[in-house]
Amino acid sequence: MENNNNNNNNNNNNNNQDDNGIKRKRILLTTDLHLGYDHLKELSNVVYKNAQRFDMVICTGDIANFDPEEAGDVEKVAACEGEMSHALSYLENIDKHLYYLPGNHDAKTTLSKDDKPRLTTYSTNLHRECIRLEDDLVVMGLGGSVPGYREGEQKWVGYPYTNEDDLNRDLQETYETAKNTVVSGGDNKTLIRDGDSIILLTHVGPHHSSTTVDQFDITVAPLYSGSKSISQFIIDHNEDIFLNIHGHTHAAVGMTTTGNTTIINPGPLKFKCYGILEIEKHFSQKWKVTSMQFKRL
Ligand SMILES: [Fe+2]
């Protein structure tokens, strides 16, 4: 497959400002597809039958079912890329502004910094990337997971991050690079500017959030699957990050807040969950979440 030249100027170009100076975006949220092709077909049909329109589609990872222990098997990695392409093509047909992350069950190649494979014509892999959507709105992404723990014992393997330090290094580097990269000629404007509203897309969510605590079985202690580094990053940039969308924890669907940040886990499409999110910006105010619907097929 050809390389995906993730274009940091690949902005959405949907200017939804109305006559009252209000900008809106309507976003379809999906995560944890796990190759649920039937559910992808059903989602496409629901969107089509109801004549739904979206400004973009977001998918926060675990598109496939790859076993990280087989990451060295080139043929299996290539096969997984093909499966991911197939799954993403359903979402891309809903809206070509498709932004996705690889999770811990996706092809190793899609979790690289450079030379990511281009899986579909229009989709953008946002792992360790940041792009501008509007004059004052950027989206920054980090895929993969850290380990999950129950009563201090590791229960879920993290991939590609086996510890918080490695995830934190990539998270900080992605942010710092965007803060220091000049993207437009002549005016010295950087990719992330002071005053921007930031959407943080991650596969694994923040440690402190109810959306990452798996207590599917209430007879056993909860499993904590979130990242402490992502928690701290949200706290450190709380004025700017107004929204964190993540997946990974199938049994912790929901929404919560940390200061100015709304944290959303729309739930796994594998189990027929998806979300419809609306964000708005009024005049010179910053962007904010105005509605979130948790839907089931
Ligand atoms: Fe995951």
Side-chain angles (χ1 to χ4, degrees):
M1 293 183 187
E2 66 180 287
N3 289 339
N4 178 11
N5 298 316
N6 272 304
N7 183 350
N8 287 341
N9 293 315
N10 178 20
N11 73 37
N12 188 297
N13 284 329
N14 285 341
N15 189 346
N16 293 314
Q17 185 163 3
D18 67 15
D19 293 341
N20 297 316
I22 300 173
K23 289 181 180 177
R24 294 187 179 86
K25 287 191 184 295
R26 192 162 187 269
I27 306 169
L28 178 65
L29 302 185
T30 64
T31 191
D32 298 271
L33 318 182
H34 292 288
L35 300 184
Y37 297 131
D38 289 345
H39 299 333
L40 283 160
K41 274 182 212 164
E42 196 175 344
L43 177 62
S44 302
N45 288 340
V46 167
V47 168
Y48 178 74
K49 273 200 294 194
N50 295 317
Q52 302 249 32
R53 291 281 182 273
F54 297 98
D55 296 299
M56 68 178 96
V57 178
I58 284 173
C59 175
T60 46
D62 280 358
I63 296 158
N65 289 319
F66 196 76
D67 179 353
E69 292 206 351
E70 297 182 324
D73 188 323
V74 175
E75 287 186 7
K76 286 187 176 171
V77 170
C80 184
E81 287 181 8
E83 292 170 337
M84 292 175 71
S85 299
H86 186 189
L88 289 171
S89 65
Y90 287 98
L91 298 179
E92 187 171 278
N93 284 337
I94 292 172
D95 191 275
K96 69 179 182 179
H97 300 100
L98 169 60
Y99 302 100
Y100 75 91
L101 291 175
N104 51 303
H105 287 297
D106 291 319
K108 175 187 176 183
T109 45
T110 62
L111 282 155
S112 61
K113 167 63 180 151
D114 302 309
D115 302 323
K116 296 181 180 79
R118 176 172 286 283
L119 298 182
T120 66
T121 304
Y122 297 106
S123 62
T124 302
N125 179 345
L126 283 177
H127 179 56
R128 301 175 67 184
E129 303 287 348
C130 184
I131 62 167
R132 178 162 296 281
L133 299 175
E134 293 272 348
D135 290 344
D136 47 10
L137 179 64
V138 296
V139 58
M140 173 180 153
L142 189 82
S145 73
V146 287
Y149 296 89
R150 175 180 288 128
E151 294 183 319
E153 187 180 337
Q154 183 176 314
K155 291 293 180 183
W156 292 357
V157 173
Y159 185 78
Y161 304 112
T162 56
N163 59 73
E164 286 285 349
D165 287 347
D166 289 349
L167 182 147
N168 193 46
R169 182 200 60 224
D170 284 357
L171 187 63
Q172 300 292 344
E173 181 192 279
T174 304
Y175 179 76
E176 290 302 324
T177 299
K179 282 288 279 186
N180 293 305
T181 301
V182 176
V183 292
S184 46
D187 53 8
N188 287 328
K189 286 188 174 174
T190 51
L191 189 46
I192 293 181
R193 306 167 197 157
D194 291 344
D196 276 341
S197 295
I198 300 173
I199 300 173
L200 178 65
L201 300 185
T202 52
H203 177 62
V204 60
H207 173 76
H208 69 267
S209 173
S210 60
T211 57
T212 61
V213 181
D214 183 329
Q215 194 150 30
F216 181 73
D217 181 352
I218 60 169
T219 65
V220 298
L223 189 151
Y224 293 94
S225 65
S227 161
K228 292 178 180 174
S229 304
I230 292 173
S231 287
Q232 192 59 51
F233 187 75
I234 288 171
I235 291 165
D236 291 345
H237 301 280
N238 198 244
E239 288 296 315
D240 302 324
I241 300 173
F242 76 105
L243 175 59
N244 170 224
I245 303 164
H246 72 85
H248 187 56
T249 316
H250 296 182
V253 183
M255 179 164 73
T256 187
T257 56
T258 294
N260 294 318
T261 308
T262 300
I263 299 165
I264 296 173
N265 176 357
L269 190 67
K270 177 183 180 180
F271 297 129
K272 299 193 170 192
C273 299
Y274 67 101
I276 297 177
L277 172 71
E278 293 183 338
I279 61 173
E280 286 185 6
K281 173 190 163 64
H282 294 219
F283 304 100
S284 59
Q285 294 177 7
K286 296 189 89 168
W287 285 85
K288 61 185 177 184
V289 173
T290 49
S291 78
M292 172 65 197
Q293 300 174 60
F294 291 91
K295 309 279 281 186
R296 293 291 297 266
L297 289 171

